[in-house]
Amino acid sequence: MNQMQQMDQSDVRSYYQLSGIHGRPFTEWDGVPLIQQLGYCSHTSNLFSTWHRPYVAAFEQVLYDIVQNVANSIQNDTTGEYKTAASTFRHPYWDWAAPVTDGGPVLPAPVSGSPYIVLRLPNGTQTISNPLYQYKFTISDLTAFPDSPFNVWQETLRYPSTKSAAASSQNPLVSQQISQSQDTYAQRFMNLLQAYPRFTNFSNSAWTPNSPGYDSLESLHNQIHGLLGNGGHMAVIDYAGFDPVFWLHHTQTDRLLAIWQALHPDSYVETSNEPIGSAVLAAGAQTDVNTPLKPFHKDAAGNFLTSADVANIEKLGYSYPEIQGKSQSEIKAAVNALYASSSGKTITRRDTVEAHDTKLAPLIAAGLSNEAPVETVPDPPATGNYTEWLSNIRVAKDAVEQTFFIHIFLGDFNPDPKSWSFEPNLVGTHSIITPYVMKRDPNQSTIVTGQIPLTRALRADQQKGLVDLGNETATKDYLTKNLHWRVTTMDDKDVPRDQVPDLRVSVVTANVQAAQADDQFPIWGEMKVQTDITDGRPAGLSTGDDV
């Protein structure tokens, strides 16, 4: 990747050009014209996950080719060690949903540890810039970035210390706030697998009226984007693609999509309209499974890949260890072992699958992991029927005209908004990510949704003797008194809840039948809105409001 980042930026295979597909500098890639000044990427769209699949694959293919060239150029490789390693190279993913059990930081050391790395070569060692730590822009790059402070930052930043050219990444704070919300990531994904059988609801964050299922893969993915960037590149759609962690994050997002597809093979991209649009799709344009995923060509004749083309990843030449060659029962067992809060199991996240012949990209992803995990104390297993409690969030995507955060608390919290994503009583921080500026248009506003699970936090409070989950009325009273929500901008400024357009926070419940075996999932009943918990509160869903 170090070589890729140093390629001439006029080369379509360069890190700069591939990263710029997602947003700025809003220029043509591979000769595909733009119809408006936006990135090519699809967001708040049925095409969100399928568009990003060939995007990640294109990046991986270029990186794979460079790895082969590097291995072939190494002298004195008498055992063929480097060529063998290169032939099995696969783009890694960062599994942010799996709990960290080794006491290390949530943000993997290769991403956040040091701006330099030491390479081991046959003739000794060599120190180079760590290409996963940051991407360094050239002076000419910044002329294509009109937005302050991105037009003065010489490298990608996470949770930047200031808005000046001297800013630095605050990776320890990034890791801390990601850790503070981490309980929600696996819960959200498991809920999506179990309670969202329709692709349209699963795939993207656009609000489906009168449906209490508010979560989506895109919404979960947004949560990580916002917490990684928090004022830096990853938090803004226009600039996110330049941070090296973007590629680890989106390979993980593709992996989660692949797992969902393996368990729900009968549902996929449906006909819908683009709420916002992109560089190649106008707002309101009708899309379906055959809509071209521009700018990604599939042949020399100039045809483009479609969602239909990328539906089956085996045909694209890659897979993931949880699904390759496995039955649905085996997939459920593998996913439960990784993420089910009641399983009490932890495994190392290393890739063990073999490579396929490639057509698009040899992208069998390998998980980034810290050291070997240690035993953890699991949640007590649920038996029989139990109630899932969830906090629904609905808001206009352009409500704050920039990326913003919604923090969900269960209990008291510090009044200083700078502390909110680190608070002990924080259940989870949700992110609404936008372009650098998203001008408010009340007549064409796109409503988006997300969901923060409450059950695990409630169980923790039950163990403290604060609530009895066996008593629904008492639990609702407890939530009425102790459930709180607040809104902040990327620079940690409080936005009064009642001044956030279309913000509605609510609580929903579902009766769930617990799984009876490791290779089964719980069975969810219908989600029901508990309006009385939030009725009359600032930005709370109230009687008579649309669900």
Side-chain angles (χ1 to χ4, degrees), residues 16-35:
Y16 177 82
Q17 284 227 8
L18 286 166
S19 297
I21 290 172
H22 197 261
R24 290 284 180 183
F26 300 160
T27 55
E28 289 187 6
W29 186 82
D30 203 19
V32 179
L34 284 65
I35 64 170

Side-chain angles (χ1 to χ4, degrees), residues 97-117:
V100 175
T101 56
D102 61 6
V106 175
L107 206 57
V111 173
S112 62
S114 171
Y116 300 96
I117 56 173

Side-chain angles (χ1 to χ4, degrees), residues 272-291:
S272 64
N273 294 318
E274 286 287 298
I276 297 173
S278 69
V280 290
L281 286 170
Q286 187 177 86
T287 59
D288 58 28
V289 72
N290 294 310
T291 297

Side-chain angles (χ1 to χ4, degrees), residues 439-492:
K439 290 296 184 182
R440 173 79 178 143
D441 184 352
N443 296 320
Q444 295 184 352
S445 188
T446 298
I447 306 299
V448 293
T449 61
Q451 197 172 73
I452 297 294
L454 301 173
T455 306
R456 191 167 186 178
L458 285 167
R459 285 178 183 169
D461 283 358
Q462 179 172 249
Q463 291 176 347
K464 299 173 186 176
L466 300 176
V467 62
D468 177 9
L469 292 179
N471 185 327
E472 181 175 309
T473 299
T475 303
K476 291 169 69 173
D477 289 343
Y478 182 76
L479 287 170
T480 301
K481 296 174 184 176
N482 293 282
L483 182 68
H484 306 286
W485 51 94
R486 294 293 186 272
V487 179
T488 56
T489 59
M490 287 190 292
D491 51 0
D492 297 324

